[in-house]
Amino acid sequence: MAEFTAHIANLGKYNAGVLADTTLSFPATTEQVQAALGEIGIDRLFSSEIVILDYNIGIKGVARALGEYTHIDELNYLASRLEGLDPEDMGKFIAAVEHGEYAGSAEQLINLTYNLYRYELYPQTGRYPGDSSEAVEPGLCRH
């Protein structure tokens, strides 16, 4: 799977001018999440004090769909779903995200991982059938 990390910080400290931050790689174990939260001075996962400053995700378009307050559990679940995709489904996922299909939030991206069977990838053919003037991009067809 492509790299999937989030640069997290303690919002309360950040707003006070103190940067308490760390990078968390996904998918992460409960222990890894708790250790990262401890590094930034947060003692529970369901805290409104967690802010995500940046993402580093090796799939174009995914980071754009994720906000600064996306829940760590959602990120972890998305990363787990992506890790389990075979190469064909990963190709479908990447193409769907690039085309803006279900790419508006973590919830939509997770949903997309369950609906990849509805898509087919079409390789680049160079031309539309019967029309020699229009080039064809590699594509995604939804059933």
Side-chain angles (χ1 to χ4, degrees):
M1 184 181 92
E3 182 178 20
F4 192 134
T5 63
H7 185 190
I8 64 172
N10 181 318
L11 182 61
K13 290 182 180 183
Y14 186 77
N15 288 337
V18 176
L19 186 58
D21 65 326
T22 192
T23 299
L24 181 58
S25 295
F26 296 100
T29 65
T30 301
E31 293 78 18
Q32 291 168 325
V33 171
Q34 291 302 323
L37 294 178
E39 285 181 44
I40 63 172
I42 294 177
D43 61 358
R44 63 187 196 286
L45 180 59
F46 296 101
S47 173
S48 61
E49 294 295 306
I50 302 168
V51 64
I52 300 170
L53 303 177
D54 193 23
Y55 292 97
N56 189 359
I57 302 173
I59 302 171
K60 182 180 176 182
V62 172
R64 180 179 63 238
L66 304 174
E68 59 188 356
Y69 299 106
T70 300
H71 199 280
I72 288 177
D73 280 347
E74 282 185 305
L75 297 174
N76 212 21
Y77 191 58
L78 174 60
S80 294
R81 292 288 305 157
L82 293 175
E83 187 176 62
L85 295 180
D86 63 37
E88 180 182 350
D89 280 344
M90 181 58 80
K92 291 177 185 179
F93 181 85
I94 291 168
V97 170
E98 286 178 358
H99 285 84
E101 294 278 332
Y102 296 102
S105 68
E107 182 180 353
Q108 287 182 349
L109 291 169
I110 291 166
N111 187 47
L112 175 61
T113 67
Y114 282 101
N115 290 291
L116 294 170
Y117 68 93
R118 295 181 175 194
Y119 294 88
E120 270 187 64
L121 282 175
Y122 290 99
Q124 183 171 355
T125 59
R127 304 271 177 219
Y128 285 107
D131 183 3
S132 61
S133 64
E134 298 290 329
V136 174
E137 295 295 322
L140 181 72
C141 179
R142 185 168 185 219
H143 298 288

